[in-house]
PDB file of all heavy atoms in Angstrom:
ATOM      1  N   LEU A  73      20.233  10.115  -7.241  1.00 95.00           N
ATOM      2  CA  LEU A  73      21.268  10.880  -7.919  1.00 95.00           C
ATOM      3  C   LEU A  73      20.692  12.136  -8.555  1.00 95.00           C
ATOM      4  O   LEU A  73      19.533  12.168  -8.948  1.00 95.00           O
ATOM      5  CB  LEU A  73      21.927  10.020  -8.995  1.00 95.00           C
ATOM      6  CG  LEU A  73      22.462   8.659  -8.542  1.00 95.00           C
ATOM      7  CD1 LEU A  73      23.125   7.945  -9.711  1.00 95.00           C
ATOM      8  CD2 LEU A  73      23.422   8.797  -7.379  1.00 95.00           C
ATOM      9  N   ASP A  74      21.523  13.148  -8.679  1.00 96.00           N
ATOM     10  CA  ASP A  74      21.129  14.369  -9.372  1.00 96.00           C
ATOM     11  C   ASP A  74      21.242  14.106 -10.875  1.00 96.00           C
ATOM     12  O   ASP A  74      22.342  13.823 -11.367  1.00 96.00           O
ATOM     13  CB  ASP A  74      22.035  15.522  -8.963  1.00 96.00           C
ATOM     14  CG  ASP A  74      21.656  16.805  -9.658  1.00 96.00           C
ATOM     15  OD1 ASP A  74      21.862  16.909 -10.889  1.00 96.00           O
ATOM     16  OD2 ASP A  74      21.150  17.713  -8.982  1.00 96.00           O
ATOM     17  N   PRO A  75      20.133  14.171 -11.613  1.00 96.00           N
ATOM     18  CA  PRO A  75      20.172  13.838 -13.041  1.00 96.00           C
ATOM     19  C   PRO A  75      21.183  14.663 -13.840  1.00 96.00           C
ATOM     20  O   PRO A  75      21.898  14.114 -14.680  1.00 96.00           O
ATOM     21  CB  PRO A  75      18.744  14.117 -13.521  1.00 96.00           C
ATOM     22  CG  PRO A  75      17.901  14.035 -12.299  1.00 96.00           C
ATOM     23  CD  PRO A  75      18.776  14.511 -11.174  1.00 96.00           C
ATOM     24  N   LYS A  76      21.252  15.958 -13.581  1.00 96.00           N
ATOM     25  CA  LYS A  76      22.194  16.796 -14.327  1.00 96.00           C
ATOM     26  C   LYS A  76      23.627  16.409 -14.044  1.00 96.00           C
ATOM     27  O   LYS A  76      24.467  16.391 -14.941  1.00 96.00           O
ATOM     28  CB  LYS A  76      21.967  18.273 -13.990  1.00 96.00           C
ATOM     29  CG  LYS A  76      20.683  18.817 -14.556  1.00 96.00           C
ATOM     30  CD  LYS A  76      20.492  20.266 -14.188  1.00 96.00           C
ATOM     31  CE  LYS A  76      19.139  20.741 -14.694  1.00 96.00           C
ATOM     32  NZ  LYS A  76      18.799  22.075 -14.210  1.00 96.00           N
ATOM     33  N   ALA A  77      23.914  16.070 -12.795  1.00 97.00           N
ATOM     34  CA  ALA A  77      25.281  15.725 -12.409  1.00 97.00           C
ATOM     35  C   ALA A  77      25.766  14.438 -13.070  1.00 97.00           C
ATOM     36  O   ALA A  77      26.969  14.254 -13.248  1.00 97.00           O
ATOM     37  CB  ALA A  77      25.386  15.603 -10.888  1.00 97.00           C
ATOM     38  N   VAL A  78      24.841  13.554 -13.437  1.00 97.00           N
ATOM     39  CA  VAL A  78      25.237  12.299 -14.080  1.00 97.00           C
ATOM     40  C   VAL A  78      24.949  12.307 -15.583  1.00 97.00           C
ATOM     41  O   VAL A  78      24.910  11.261 -16.224  1.00 97.00           O
ATOM     42  CB  VAL A  78      24.576  11.070 -13.403  1.00 97.00           C
ATOM     43  CG1 VAL A  78      25.068  10.914 -11.977  1.00 97.00           C
ATOM     44  CG2 VAL A  78      23.062  11.147 -13.450  1.00 97.00           C
ATOM     45  N   GLY A  79      24.737  13.500 -16.149  1.00 97.00           N
ATOM     46  CA  GLY A  79      24.560  13.622 -17.588  1.00 97.00           C
ATOM     47  C   GLY A  79      23.207  13.170 -18.094  1.00 97.00           C
ATOM     48  O   GLY A  79      23.091  12.683 -19.219  1.00 97.00           O
ATOM     49  N   ALA A  80      22.166  13.324 -17.277  1.00 97.00           N
ATOM     50  CA  ALA A  80      20.817  12.928 -17.693  1.00 97.00           C
ATOM     51  C   ALA A  80      19.816  14.009 -17.307  1.00 97.00           C
ATOM     52  O   ALA A  80      18.748  13.723 -16.776  1.00 97.00           O
ATOM     53  CB  ALA A  80      20.454  11.588 -17.061  1.00 97.00           C
ATOM     54  N   GLY A  81      20.165  15.260 -17.602  1.00 96.00           N
ATOM     55  CA  GLY A  81      19.349  16.391 -17.181  1.00 96.00           C
ATOM     56  C   GLY A  81      18.064  16.608 -17.951  1.00 96.00           C
ATOM     57  O   GLY A  81      17.177  17.308 -17.487  1.00 96.00           O
ATOM     58  N   MET A  82      17.944  16.005 -19.132  1.00 98.00           N
ATOM     59  CA  MET A  82      16.722  16.192 -19.906  1.00 98.00           C
ATOM     60  C   MET A  82      15.751  15.048 -19.628  1.00 98.00           C
ATOM     61  O   MET A  82      16.110  13.877 -19.725  1.00 98.00           O
ATOM     62  CB  MET A  82      17.005  16.246 -21.399  1.00 98.00           C
ATOM     63  CG  MET A  82      15.722  16.273 -22.239  1.00 98.00           C
ATOM     64  SD  MET A  82      16.024  16.641 -23.951  1.00 98.00           S
ATOM     65  CE  MET A  82      16.001  18.423 -23.839  1.00 98.00           C
ATOM     66  N   LEU A  83      14.524  15.412 -19.302  1.00 98.00           N
ATOM     67  CA  LEU A  83      13.468  14.429 -19.073  1.00 98.00           C
ATOM     68  C   LEU A  83      12.493  14.497 -20.234  1.00 98.00           C
ATOM     69  O   LEU A  83      12.050  15.579 -20.617  1.00 98.00           O
ATOM     70  CB  LEU A  83      12.740  14.731 -17.754  1.00 98.00           C
ATOM     71  CG  LEU A  83      11.584  13.809 -17.381  1.00 98.00           C
ATOM     72  CD1 LEU A  83      12.054  12.365 -17.206  1.00 98.00           C
ATOM     73  CD2 LEU A  83      10.925  14.309 -16.093  1.00 98.00           C
ATOM     74  N   VAL A  84      12.175  13.335 -20.784  1.00 98.00           N
ATOM     75  CA  VAL A  84      11.250  13.256 -21.907  1.00 98.00           C
ATOM     76  C   VAL A  84      10.127  12.294 -21.535  1.00 98.00           C
ATOM     77  O   VAL A  84      10.387  11.183 -21.072  1.00 98.00           O
ATOM     78  CB  VAL A  84      11.953  12.778 -23.198  1.00 98.00           C
ATOM     79  CG1 VAL A  84      10.980  12.767 -24.375  1.00 98.00           C
ATOM     80  CG2 VAL A  84      13.172  13.640 -23.504  1.00 98.00           C
ATOM     81  N   GLY A 110      18.263   4.813 -20.560  1.00 97.00           N
ATOM     82  CA  GLY A 110      17.730   5.996 -19.897  1.00 97.00           C
ATOM     83  C   GLY A 110      16.250   5.920 -19.555  1.00 97.00           C
ATOM     84  O   GLY A 110      15.700   6.875 -19.008  1.00 97.00           O
ATOM     85  N   MET A 112      13.440   5.405 -17.356  1.00 98.00           N
ATOM     86  CA  MET A 112      13.309   5.368 -15.903  1.00 98.00           C
ATOM     87  C   MET A 112      11.999   4.723 -15.471  1.00 98.00           C
ATOM     88  O   MET A 112      11.918   4.119 -14.413  1.00 98.00           O
ATOM     89  CB  MET A 112      13.387   6.790 -15.332  1.00 98.00           C
ATOM     90  CG  MET A 112      14.622   7.575 -15.759  1.00 98.00           C
ATOM     91  SD  MET A 112      16.170   6.813 -15.283  1.00 98.00           S
ATOM     92  CE  MET A 112      16.151   7.079 -13.529  1.00 98.00           C
ATOM     93  N   VAL A 127      11.886   9.001 -19.916  1.00 98.00           N
ATOM     94  CA  VAL A 127      13.252   8.735 -20.347  1.00 98.00           C
ATOM     95  C   VAL A 127      14.123   9.926 -19.990  1.00 98.00           C
ATOM     96  O   VAL A 127      13.731  11.083 -20.174  1.00 98.00           O
ATOM     97  CB  VAL A 127      13.300   8.478 -21.879  1.00 98.00           C
ATOM     98  CG1 VAL A 127      14.723   8.311 -22.368  1.00 98.00           C
ATOM     99  CG2 VAL A 127      12.463   7.256 -22.230  1.00 98.00           C
ATOM    100  N   ARG A 128      15.310   9.641 -19.483  1.00 98.00           N
ATOM    101  CA  ARG A 128      16.288  10.689 -19.176  1.00 98.00           C
ATOM    102  C   ARG A 128      17.455  10.587 -20.142  1.00 98.00           C
ATOM    103  O   ARG A 128      17.981   9.497 -20.381  1.00 98.00           O
ATOM    104  CB  ARG A 128      16.786  10.557 -17.748  1.00 98.00           C
ATOM    105  CG  ARG A 128      15.757  11.023 -16.747  1.00 98.00           C
ATOM    106  CD  ARG A 128      16.441  11.736 -15.591  1.00 98.00           C
ATOM    107  NE  ARG A 128      15.471  12.381 -14.729  1.00 98.00           N
ATOM    108  CZ  ARG A 128      15.240  13.688 -14.727  1.00 98.00           C
ATOM    109  NH1 ARG A 128      15.873  14.483 -15.544  1.00 98.00           N
ATOM    110  NH2 ARG A 128      14.368  14.193 -13.894  1.00 98.00           N
ATOM    111  N   THR A 129      17.818  11.734 -20.709  1.00 98.00           N
ATOM    112  CA  THR A 129      18.983  11.820 -21.587  1.00 98.00           C
ATOM    113  C   THR A 129      19.761  13.078 -21.233  1.00 98.00           C
ATOM    114  O   THR A 129      19.317  13.887 -20.417  1.00 98.00           O
ATOM    115  CB  THR A 129      18.579  11.885 -23.079  1.00 98.00           C
ATOM    116  OG1 THR A 129      17.864  13.095 -23.316  1.00 98.00           O
ATOM    117  CG2 THR A 129      17.742  10.701 -23.495  1.00 98.00           C
ATOM    118  N   LYS A 130      20.894  13.240 -21.864  1.00 98.00           N
ATOM    119  CA  LYS A 130      21.729  14.410 -21.587  1.00 98.00           C
ATOM    120  C   LYS A 130      21.097  15.689 -22.140  1.00 98.00           C
ATOM    121  O   LYS A 130      20.999  16.697 -21.456  1.00 98.00           O
ATOM    122  CB  LYS A 130      23.123  14.218 -22.196  1.00 98.00           C
ATOM    123  CG  LYS A 130      24.053  15.376 -21.960  1.00 98.00           C
ATOM    124  CD  LYS A 130      25.421  15.125 -22.557  1.00 98.00           C
ATOM    125  CE  LYS A 130      26.302  16.325 -22.291  1.00 98.00           C
ATOM    126  NZ  LYS A 130      27.627  16.159 -22.897  1.00 98.00           N
ATOM    127  N   ASP A 131      20.661  15.631 -23.397  1.00 97.00           N
ATOM    128  CA  ASP A 131      20.138  16.828 -24.064  1.00 97.00           C
ATOM    129  C   ASP A 131      19.326  16.401 -25.279  1.00 97.00           C
ATOM    130  O   ASP A 131      19.126  15.213 -25.515  1.00 97.00           O
ATOM    131  CB  ASP A 131      21.289  17.760 -24.470  1.00 97.00           C
ATOM    132  CG  ASP A 131      22.367  17.077 -25.289  1.00 97.00           C
ATOM    133  OD1 ASP A 131      22.074  16.066 -25.972  1.00 97.00           O
ATOM    134  OD2 ASP A 131      23.524  17.530 -25.241  1.00 97.00           O
ATOM    135  N   SER A 134      21.153  14.017 -27.750  1.00 98.00           N
ATOM    136  CA  SER A 134      21.227  12.620 -27.308  1.00 98.00           C
ATOM    137  C   SER A 134      19.854  11.958 -27.381  1.00 98.00           C
ATOM    138  O   SER A 134      19.748  10.767 -27.674  1.00 98.00           O
ATOM    139  CB  SER A 134      21.830  12.507 -25.903  1.00 98.00           C
ATOM    140  OG  SER A 134      21.027  13.175 -24.959  1.00 98.00           O
ATOM    141  N   GLU A 160      10.827  20.990 -14.419  1.00 95.00           N
ATOM    142  CA  GLU A 160      10.241  20.050 -13.460  1.00 95.00           C
ATOM    143  C   GLU A 160       9.712  20.844 -12.280  1.00 95.00           C
ATOM    144  O   GLU A 160      10.458  21.513 -11.592  1.00 95.00           O
ATOM    145  CB  GLU A 160      11.282  19.042 -12.983  1.00 95.00           C
ATOM    146  CG  GLU A 160      11.663  18.032 -14.039  1.00 95.00           C
ATOM    147  CD  GLU A 160      12.618  16.972 -13.525  1.00 95.00           C
ATOM    148  OE1 GLU A 160      12.362  16.423 -12.431  1.00 95.00           O
ATOM    149  OE2 GLU A 160      13.609  16.718 -14.213  1.00 95.00           O
TER     150      GLU A 160
END
Side-chain angles (χ1 to χ4, degrees):
L73 307 182
D74 180 290
K76 289 179 184 172
V78 295
M82 173 169 274
L83 179 61
V84 183
M112 306 300 289
V127 175
R128 285 217 171 256
T129 65
K130 180 179 180 182
D131 53 26
S134 62
E160 288 184 47

